[in-house]
Amino acid sequence: MPDLILTTYDWVPEMPRGFVRDLRVRWALEEAGLPYRVESTPFKERDADHIAHQPFGQVPWLTDGDLSIFESGAILMHLGEKSEALAPADPRGRAEVTEWVFAALNSVEMPALPWAMYQFMNLAGGPQWDFVDGFLTLRLQRMEAVLAGREWLTGRFSIADILMADVLRVVDNFDGLAGYPAARAYVERATARPAFKKAHADQMAHFAAAD
Ligand SMILES: N[C@@H](CCC(=O)N[C@@H](CS)C(=O)NCC(=O)O)C(=O)O
C-alpha cells in the first residue's frame, strides 16, 4: 500500500474540472513515478476531519505516513525532496527552484486568480477591471521576457514549472496569453508532457465517476 495519499473532493461542478489543484500534486507524483493513491472528501460538507487536514476546508492535502501537508506549493516542495525528477539536490539548484515556486504562487497567481474570477463571472470590462487586468499585465510582460529565453524556469523541468504552468494555463483558458507567445508556448510545452496528460485525465475521471 503506498505511503502517499492525495485527498481531493469527491465531486466538483463541471467548471473547475481539469483545474482543481490536486492536479498539481498528481502531475508531480506522475513526473517522479512515486506510488500514491487518491482519496475523496465530501465537497458538499467540510467536517472537522477535513478542517484538521486543511484549515480552509479546501483541497488538496497529502499524507505521507503520519505527516499531513496542505497547500499545493508546500506539497510540491515536499515531493521535490523525494525525487530529483522534481528538483535538483544541490543548494544552488534547490534555491532557484524555491524562488520560482514562490514567484508562481505569489507574484503570478496573486493577480492571475482575481483576473480569472472576473472573466469567469463575466465582470471583465466592469468596475475595477482596469486595475485587475493591469496588475496581471505587469506580471505577464515580465514572464514573457523570462520565458522567451528559456525552456524551463531553472534550466531544467522542476516543480516550479508545474506550478507556473498551472497558474498560466488558467489565464490561457480565458485567452489571456494571446499577446504572450513565449508564455503560451511554455504552457503548451508543459501540458504536452505525459505526466500532465495522465494527471489531467485522472482528475477528469475521478470527478466524472461521482456524477
Ligand atoms: N492555496 C491553496 C488553494 C487551494 C484551493 O483554492 N483549492 C480549491 C480547489 S482548486 C478549493 O478547495 N476550493 C473550494 C473552496 O475554497 O471552498 C493551495 O494551493 O493548495
Side-chain angles (χ1 to χ4, degrees):
M1 173 102 48
D3 278 346
L4 296 170
I5 303 170
L6 166 64
T7 302
T8 187
Y9 290 124
D10 55 352
W11 173 91
V12 295
E14 208 60 47
M15 164 46 205
R17 294 185 188 188
F19 292 93
V20 179
R21 285 174 177 78
D22 67 77
L23 193 144
R24 299 170 174 182
V25 184
R26 292 177 186 268
W27 186 357
L29 289 161
E30 293 294 337
E31 290 280 357
L34 292 165
Y36 65 101
R37 66 191 162 93
V38 177
E39 289 190 350
S40 296
T41 189
F43 175 77
K44 291 192 173 144
E45 72 261 8
R46 323 272 162 99
D47 64 13
D49 182 62
H50 185 154
I51 301 298
H53 287 284
Q54 216 290 1
F56 307 108
Q58 296 183 309
V59 298
W61 73 82
L62 180 85
T63 56
D64 181 357
D66 60 4
L67 193 63
S68 181
I69 311 169
F70 69 96
E71 284 293 339
S72 57
I75 297 168
L76 264 58
M77 298 271 287
H78 178 73
L79 295 177
E81 285 169 19
K82 288 183 176 290
S83 168
E84 287 203 36
L86 298 175
D90 68 287
R92 181 177 298 273
R94 185 60 61 102
E96 283 175 3
V97 167
T98 302
E99 65 191 2
W100 280 110
V101 161
F102 279 85
L105 298 177
N106 192 305
S107 298
V108 183
E109 189 166 46
M110 191 199 291
L113 196 57
W115 185 93
M117 284 177 162
Y118 267 60
Q119 293 281 3
F120 176 62
M121 293 187 290
N122 285 318
L123 295 174
Q128 285 89 44
W129 174 245
D130 285 351
F131 173 78
V132 171
D133 191 45
F135 188 15
L136 179 62
T137 297
L138 283 175
R139 295 294 180 270
L140 291 181
Q141 285 171 340
R142 294 313 313 151
M143 283 313 301
E144 181 68 9
V146 167
L147 293 170
R150 55 184 100 169
E151 184 181 21
W152 305 116
L153 290 169
T154 64
R156 49 150 288 181
F157 185 83
S158 76
I159 50 173
D161 295 297
I162 292 178
L163 293 166
M164 187 66 83
D166 196 49
V167 168
L168 291 177
R169 151 181 112 81
V170 174
V171 177
D172 197 32
N173 190 46
F174 293 104
D175 210 22
L177 298 183
Y180 304 93
R184 182 170 263 178
Y186 171 75
V187 170
E188 280 170 9
R189 208 155 52 238
T191 56
R193 295 176 72 87
F196 172 84
K197 288 184 195 268
K198 172 139 190 350
H200 188 270
D202 286 355
Q203 179 178 106
M204 297 304 280
H206 176 91
F207 294 130
D211 283 338

